[in-house]
Amino acid sequence: MLMCNRLALGALAALMMLGPVEAGGDDPPPFASATEAYRQGASALKSGKTAAALPALEYAAKRGVLGAQVKLARAYASGRDMPKDDAKAFSYFQQIADQQADISPRSPIAKYTAEAFVALGQYYLDGIPAMSLAPNPSYAAHLFRHAASYFGSGEAQYRLARLYMNGDGVEKNVGLAVNWLATAAKKQHAASQATLGEILWRGQDVRQRRARGLALIILAHENGVASGKEPKWIGELYREAFAKSDKPTRKDAEALLPELGSVKAAVAPAAKAKPTEVLVMPASDGAQEPVAPTASAASDAAPLSQKGTPPIGLSVGFGATSSKPGGLKP
């Protein structure tokens, strides 16, 4: 299903925020090509040479090279390789989502598009004071829903489930929350396993199933440890649930582990294209034909263009164009 409209970028505002310097009309281009600029920028960034990496990556990103957009978005969002700047991260994630919104979920670059939708959804959930972006939970749910249903993103499914659990931006619906958590848990998404496990173990708004809940919590803990970055809350939940469960419950939980899946293994790269190939190619104008999304709740799985209404002042995509830096306003 193609989206009815491509997402609107607010390009003028983005360019004014990022401000890459263009060579004059009579000057030779600073790089042989956009892909070469990306390679140079990526190499410099890896070597810790941020000052050399930034102009090269900006040059490539402006010309639609996905890898450059991803690296800049992540770098500004995390503050690892360059000073944290949520407004710039937002703009780069926005470019990715706009260019790739209709790409097939089976494409090797679909995961980067889903990541962009999730990041943008979180920015709309929290707001960005530096660019006058006010919190808008209902629109955040709109973006999470597209990444969850169309791209099948476990992270988006988890974040959408949290909104349904709390009634934040959507009408509270524990049933839908549990469905989305279960869908993500099957992908061995640790936070979804832990959250769903806690709901079942404690019997929060659902029939209590202590053994199944404990089994999910155990899997979440194992996945978190295997990833090398287990969130503190999952470790604490695991220790509490294990300590407060009796021997029969633990035994039943262990018996359920094979049914619920094993620790998440590394995903093999797609056969059609290597990551280094798909990341360096400039964006094309034509979108690939997407396949139908799979979701645990059919009524909640409509594509972005068919589910919900964008808030006043916003396009079907993200923000209204403004002539001022950081001027995307809800």
Side-chain angles (χ1 to χ4, degrees):
M1 268 179 272
L2 291 177
M3 295 170 63
C4 294
N5 295 297
R6 296 308 300 270
L7 303 176
L9 268 180
L12 180 59
L15 289 178
M16 292 185 71
M17 278 194 291
L18 299 175
V21 179
E22 286 288 351
D26 297 328
D27 297 331
F31 302 99
S33 67
T35 54
E36 179 58 27
Y38 166 70
R39 291 190 177 98
Q40 290 184 29
S43 177
L45 192 65
K46 187 176 181 180
S47 301
K49 301 175 182 177
T50 305
L54 195 53
L57 291 175
E58 285 180 339
Y59 182 92
K62 185 178 178 182
R63 286 154 182 80
V65 177
L66 177 61
Q69 294 167 344
V70 170
K71 285 189 179 297
L72 287 168
R74 289 174 175 174
Y76 281 122
S78 66
R80 246 189 330 265
D81 297 308
M82 53 193 68
K84 184 177 175 64
D85 190 324
D86 288 326
K88 288 185 178 180
F90 177 93
S91 181
Y92 282 118
F93 280 126
Q94 197 177 44
Q95 288 180 40
I96 297 166
D98 180 72
Q99 291 171 3
Q100 310 293 344
D102 293 329
I103 199 164
S104 167
R106 294 178 180 173
S107 165
I109 65 174
K111 64 180 180 180
Y112 301 108
T113 310
E115 177 187 345
F117 272 94
V118 171
L120 290 165
Q122 195 62 44
Y123 279 131
Y124 271 102
L125 189 60
D126 299 335
I128 306 176
M131 59 183 293
S132 301
L133 187 74
N136 192 328
S138 63
Y139 199 57
H142 194 54
L143 299 174
F144 289 151
R145 187 178 292 111
H146 183 60
S149 60
Y150 184 74
F151 290 108
S153 164
E155 183 65 23
Q157 290 163 354
Y158 167 69
R159 298 196 191 201
L160 182 60
R162 299 292 307 190
L163 296 185
Y164 277 118
M165 284 177 61
N166 300 324
D168 194 4
V170 294
E171 185 176 349
K172 184 174 180 177
N173 190 321
V174 176
L176 274 179
V178 167
N179 282 346
W180 282 118
L181 288 172
T183 301
K186 289 177 183 177
K187 298 179 173 74
Q188 301 304 307
H189 186 270
S192 297
Q193 290 172 324
T195 303
L196 180 59
E198 182 176 17
I199 290 172
L200 295 173
W201 185 70
R202 298 188 191 281
Q204 297 173 329
D205 298 316
V206 299
R207 179 170 64 87
Q208 190 175 43
R209 302 172 72 182
R210 291 182 69 85
R212 183 169 290 270
L214 179 61
L216 284 164
I217 292 169
I218 291 171
L219 273 179
H221 171 64
E222 291 179 351
N223 276 314
V225 171
S227 72
K229 46 186 178 181
E230 180 186 46
K232 183 179 178 181
W233 68 271
I234 292 181
E236 292 174 347
L237 174 63
Y238 166 76
R239 289 186 288 274
E240 179 194 357
F242 204 83
K244 292 183 178 179
S245 297
D246 55 26
K247 267 190 173 183
T249 301
R250 293 177 190 172
K251 185 176 180 180
D252 289 344
E254 288 175 4
L256 285 168
L257 290 177
E259 172 192 332
L260 297 173
S262 58
V263 176
K264 186 175 183 180
V267 179
K272 290 185 179 179
K274 297 178 181 178
T276 52
E277 294 172 347
V278 298
L279 285 173
V280 300
M281 295 301 293
S284 62
D285 293 332
Q288 299 182 33
E289 182 69 20
V291 297
T294 300
S296 55
S299 63
D300 196 50
L304 181 61
S305 59
Q306 298 178 13
K307 186 74 177 179
T309 303
I312 295 173
L314 288 176
S315 67
V316 175
F318 302 106
T321 302
S322 168
S323 58
K324 298 180 181 180
L328 302 182
K329 297 183 181 295

